Amino acid sequence: MRMPPHLHIAVLEPEIAICHLPPDAEPPRPVPGTVIHSVTVTPEEISVVCEAAHAPAGARVERGWRALWIKGPIDFSLVGVLNSILDPLVKAHVPVFAISTFETDYVLVRGADLRAALTALRIAEHTIEPTPASPD
């Protein structure tokens, strides 16, 4: 069992929205040039995470989130990657919304909690990197 090393994290620049659509809605297509666009479809709902400026019309929208990009790729054999990020945030009382992709993870925190989140992650010995223009 391999434990995760100290991770490298960057804060993506735009405000992020978490959106809810009914299950029979048409999932929105990504806007070219955006830094994140994630769509999850289940029988109960369609969830969309995107730049707030591109939140889909008619959706229930939670605005004001920021995305912490855990720089990958992250090896599938690592155990506890998200836990190493979430545990310090729980201890700092920071609510989160997590998204995993094939190569990495994104953890969203409310903009108002960003400073506390970054402080907690630094204390946990993760590296906070300069904000990139977009993920590689």
Side-chain angles (χ1 to χ4, degrees), residues 20 23 27 36 41 71 84 86 90 99 106 121:
H20 177 272
I36 191 167
V41 179
K71 296 185 83 172
S84 76
L86 300 180
V90 166
I99 301 171
Y106 295 84
L121 293 170

Side-chain angles (χ1 to χ4, degrees), residues 47 51 104 113 119:
S47 289
E51 292 182 18
T104 191
D113 294 324
T119 298

Side-chain angles (χ1 to χ4, degrees), residues 68-84:
L68 305 178
W69 171 34
I70 292 69
K71 296 185 83 172
I74 298 171
D75 190 318
F76 279 106
S77 68
L78 293 177
V79 174
V81 172
L82 274 176
N83 190 60
S84 76

